[in-house]
Amino acid sequence: MPKVRSDENIVSRRFSRRFQIRLVIEGALIGVLGGGIVALYRLALRCAEEGLRAVTSLASGSPLGMALWFAVLAVILMVVSRLLLWEPYTQGSGIPQVDAEVMGRIDMPWHRVITAKFAEGVLCAFGGLSLGREGPAVQLGSMSAKAVSKVLKNGRGEERLLVTCGAAAGMSAAFHAPLTGVLFAVEEIHKEFSAPLIVCVMTASVVADFLVSQVLGVSPVITLRFTSDLPHIDYLLVVLIGIYCGLLGSVHNKGMFFCQSLYERIDKHLPYARLAVPFALAGVVAFTFPQLLCGGDAIMDLLAQPGALAGATILALLIGKYLFTTICFASGAPGGTLFPLVVMGSLSGALFGIMASTFFGFPDAYVVNFLLLGVAGLFSSVVRAPVTAVVLCFELSGSLDALLSVAIVSIVSYVTANILRVDPFYDHLLARLLGVTPDDSSVNGMPGEKVLKEHHVGTGSKLDGALVKDVPWPSGARIVTIERAGQEIVPTGDTPLMALDVLLIIMGTDYEDDVELKLKQLCRPGINGRWAPSNPMREGARGSRHSDFDFLSTLHKIYYHGFMRGTAHDCTRHFGTRNIDGARAMACSHPQMCSIARTSHSNVP
């Protein structure tokens, strides 16, 4: 009986109106704190970039001035390296770390991450490194949410949900795009939809955008304007630019991953030796090709002037921006790639538009449309988040006129990149962070077979943190592969299941309805997940989770199968009575069985 009361409290708390109101309040708090920190971060970046341009313009042409600037870069290198040693979770964009936090694999110290990431981002911007603000903004927002969760003394499961909300607030504040923040958090970070998640994420994203609007104004970060949509008769070009962006996105990811492998050969005096490469290059670029510095605002200003750039200049900017961004990001420097990715997408679209105008006689007035299509296509192929790409372009342009063409480009580029079998960018980075590789036999076990059904492990669910061998899988079903961080794992009995895993399960058609029903119960997300990342495999937690499985299995046998399979032993163990009818009444009153009753199509007496 105590178990029934405990589960009733959990379920009723999750779906109560009071709890939904609490989620809205918590989301608003996260939006205020996360949006405020990201607004200050953007202001600091703006000042750093303006200071960089002023200093380098004064030093240009003077050997002494240039030498002094390289000395300043050396000092910045030392400070950033020390900060990375003080808090290693701040290297890179921060988005893979947020993914791992939501999965429960790491437990970042929020106060150290916020302090270090803020300072590192500003210093790298002043140094001129080609890095974006969006990745750090996502990490700053998520750690702000973790701070709110700690103050409210939430459980680990609810904390992970709030971290997702913080990521949405950070993305919304960085791009001035609240819907993009919501979809990015759900599509890329959490990878599942649930009512509590959507309520909290939308609240945090909207509040953060409102706050940033009051500080920095209501204009979007990038304004992409066009006169009218492309004629439908010319939509073959839309398909072609989708293929073109899919190819470029695959090259982008392959090049980034290859450059990371090159940096791994530098294994001494870390991180100083690796960061020395991008800082030295930034010093050279500042006096030779200053348009490539920082995220790319200078390039977007040039693209905003129709006809100001020739095709050769656009190609040089595209290649130079990609190489500079790759060298900076692959070193582990604290900064993101999303804003440079948007800039490169705009350059790619502009280049395609000029080629279409030159070779197919396409009107020059439509060249600006291809900038928007290039952003959507490259974002979709690199990140593999096509829905987010469509919404991002809508919020950047402020118009739905190009919705059809943007959607087509996103889909075609997404499919093209998948056909080329190139890893999604952030999934690959997450796999590197977690040490998940397809050839690791200690993790993957022996090869398996193809599957027929797919199930997602919800955060805080019954499967989250359990071993495969400890799960009472339904009769007639076999788990054969697990997709984790973009990698396919063939599990053994000792393989742990983690939140956001995608389970590929083969099952017999004769038992499909029964199996699907029980798997949905096992995978259903729970707000009050009890698994902590500090010691996920401890025996005590494993035993408690196994008893939960037994309890759910008994309820399922008693109710779903017409109360014929529940034994007297089961009834005594879980309901304190050997009487089947008494156990039946208790099972009917249990909230989990009410859910089963609503979804079951069997004739239960």
Side-chain angles (χ1 to χ4, degrees):
M1 291 302 293
K3 180 63 182 177
V4 175
R5 288 196 298 269
S6 175
D7 282 355
E8 285 176 344
N9 291 336
I10 292 173
V11 175
S12 62
R13 176 176 177 269
R14 179 179 180 183
F15 294 104
S16 67
R17 292 185 178 89
R18 181 178 297 178
F19 181 60
Q20 293 177 13
I21 293 173
R22 177 181 172 181
L23 286 178
V24 171
I25 295 174
E26 290 178 349
L29 291 175
I30 291 168
V32 170
L33 182 59
I37 291 176
V38 174
L40 291 175
Y41 182 67
R42 286 182 55 183
L43 284 172
L45 291 181
R46 179 187 296 178
C47 294
E49 293 178 10
E50 291 174 353
L52 165 68
R53 306 271 179 199
V55 172
T56 53
S57 62
L58 290 175
S60 180
S62 169
L64 178 59
M66 291 189 288
L68 289 175
W69 177 244
F70 275 96
V72 171
L73 289 177
V75 174
I76 296 175
L77 164 65
M78 298 297 291
V79 175
V80 171
S81 298
R82 292 298 300 175
L83 287 171
L84 284 173
L85 292 173
W86 179 62
E87 183 44 64
Y89 281 131
T90 58
Q91 68 174 341
S93 72
I95 293 177
Q97 289 91 322
V98 175
D99 284 335
E101 179 82 28
V102 173
M103 292 172 65
R105 293 296 303 275
I106 63 176
D107 191 4
M108 291 185 281
W110 62 267
H111 53 288
R112 290 163 61 104
V113 171
I114 291 177
T115 303
K117 196 73 171 188
F118 194 107
E120 292 163 355
V122 174
L123 289 172
C124 286
F126 186 65
L129 271 64
S130 181
L131 298 169
R133 65 175 73 94
E134 287 71 26
V138 169
Q139 191 173 23
L140 290 172
S142 64
M143 290 299 97
S144 302
K146 190 169 184 176
V148 171
S149 180
K150 294 297 185 184
V151 171
L152 298 177
K153 298 181 180 179
N154 291 329
R156 179 63 178 169
E158 190 170 339
E159 179 177 286
R160 288 191 278 175
L161 184 148
L162 296 183
V163 167
T164 303
C165 299
M171 176 63 78
S172 173
F175 264 124
H176 231 322
L179 292 180
T180 300
V182 172
L183 282 176
F184 183 83
V186 174
E187 190 176 21
E188 173 59 32
I189 303 293
H190 215 82
K191 294 183 172 66
E192 63 184 10
F193 290 81
S194 65
L197 176 67
I198 294 300
V199 168
C200 196
V201 164
M202 290 188 67
T203 304
S205 184
V206 170
V207 170
D209 180 67
F210 178 80
L211 180 61
V212 173
S213 299
Q214 303 308 306
V215 178
L216 301 175
V218 296
S219 300
V221 175
I222 303 173
T223 303
L224 299 175
R225 302 294 183 188
F226 57 92
T227 54
S228 62
D229 192 18
L230 298 171
H232 286 193
I233 195 173
D234 296 315
Y235 265 41
L236 176 60
L237 287 176
V238 174
V239 176
L240 290 178
I241 193 175
I243 298 173
Y244 162 80
C245 288
L247 294 172
L248 288 182
S250 299
V251 172
H252 172 281
N253 288 3
K254 278 288 188 182
M256 284 279 189
F257 304 155
F258 176 72
C259 193
Q260 284 182 320
S261 66
L262 292 180
Y263 271 111
E264 289 177 352
R265 299 181 182 180
I266 304 176
D267 55 2
K268 295 181 179 179
H269 308 294
L270 301 179
Y272 303 95
R274 292 181 182 175
L275 292 182
V277 177
F279 273 102
L281 182 59
V284 175
V285 169
F287 302 111
T288 57
F289 208 165
Q291 293 85 356
L292 302 180
L293 293 173
C294 303
D297 292 295
I299 296 176
M300 294 306 300
D301 291 339
L302 293 175
L303 289 175
Q305 307 169 18
L309 299 176
T313 304
I314 293 176
L315 180 60
L317 286 170
L318 176 60
I319 295 174
K321 189 63 177 175
Y322 172 67
L323 293 177
F324 190 27
T325 303
T326 299
I327 292 172
C328 291
F329 181 79
S331 68
T337 62
L338 283 181
F339 190 77
L341 182 65
V342 170
V343 173
M344 288 186 281
S346 300
L347 289 170
S348 302
L351 185 62
F352 185 91
I354 291 176
M355 290 189 296
S357 177
T358 302
F359 296 108
F360 301 105
F362 209 68
D364 292 339
Y366 290 112
V367 171
V368 67
N369 289 40
F370 289 105
L371 271 72
L372 191 66
L373 298 181
V375 172
L378 199 61
F379 189 98
S380 178
S381 61
V382 170
V383 183
R384 306 294 162 79
V387 180
T388 303
V390 173
V391 174
L392 173 63
C393 289
F394 156 66
E395 292 192 293
L396 292 179
S397 64
S399 173
L400 289 173
D401 291 343
L403 181 62
L404 179 60
S405 56
V406 167
I408 292 174
V409 169
S410 298
I411 293 170
V412 173
S413 63
Y414 175 87
V415 172
T416 301
N418 276 337
I419 290 175
L420 295 176
R421 301 181 66 84
V422 178
D423 290 345
F425 188 66
Y426 291 114
D427 283 355
H428 182 89
L429 298 180
L430 177 60
R432 287 171 58 91
L433 176 66
L434 301 181
V436 178
T437 60
D439 300 322
D440 189 349
S441 59
S442 65
V443 175
N444 300 345
M446 301 301 292
E449 300 180 10
K450 298 292 184 179
V451 298
L452 298 176
K453 292 290 182 178
E454 183 178 278
H455 285 268
H456 295 256
V457 178
T459 54
S461 67
K462 299 293 184 181
L463 298 183
D464 188 3
L467 299 181
V468 170
K469 66 182 180 182
D470 291 337
V471 178
W473 300 104
S475 177
R478 296 291 183 272
I479 176 173
V480 291
T481 62
I482 301 173
E483 183 180 338
R484 178 177 301 157
Q487 301 292 338
E488 188 176 82
I489 297 173
V490 180
T492 64
D494 292 324
T495 302
L497 299 172
M498 300 174 187
L500 308 186
D501 281 352
V502 180
L503 308 182
L504 302 178
I505 298 174
I506 190 168
M507 64 189 71
T509 56
D510 293 339
Y511 307 98
E512 183 176 348
D513 292 340
D514 188 4
V515 170
E516 284 285 286
L517 182 62
K518 188 169 184 180
L519 287 174
K520 287 178 182 178
Q521 295 294 320
L522 295 176
C523 295
R524 177 177 296 170
I527 297 297
N528 291 0
R530 293 183 294 276
W531 178 56
S534 57
N535 190 10
M537 302 308 299
R538 62 181 182 271
E539 291 295 328
R542 189 186 311 168
S544 174
R545 192 174 295 274
H546 187 64
S547 65
D548 291 348
F549 281 132
D550 290 345
F551 176 68
L552 179 59
S553 177
T554 300
L555 289 174
H556 183 270
K557 287 189 293 183
I558 292 175
Y559 193 96
Y560 184 74
H561 294 290
F563 309 100
M564 296 302 295
R565 297 187 185 177
T567 65
H569 171 71
D570 290 331
C571 297
T572 302
R573 179 180 179 186
H574 294 293
F575 299 103
T577 175
R578 297 179 60 85
N579 183 275
I580 291 290
D581 292 332
R584 171 182 179 175
M586 296 176 190
C588 289
S589 66
H590 191 269
Q592 287 178 313
M593 289 303 99
C594 292
S595 174
I596 290 177
R598 286 193 299 268
T599 57
S600 173
H601 298 291
S602 61
N603 184 19
V604 179

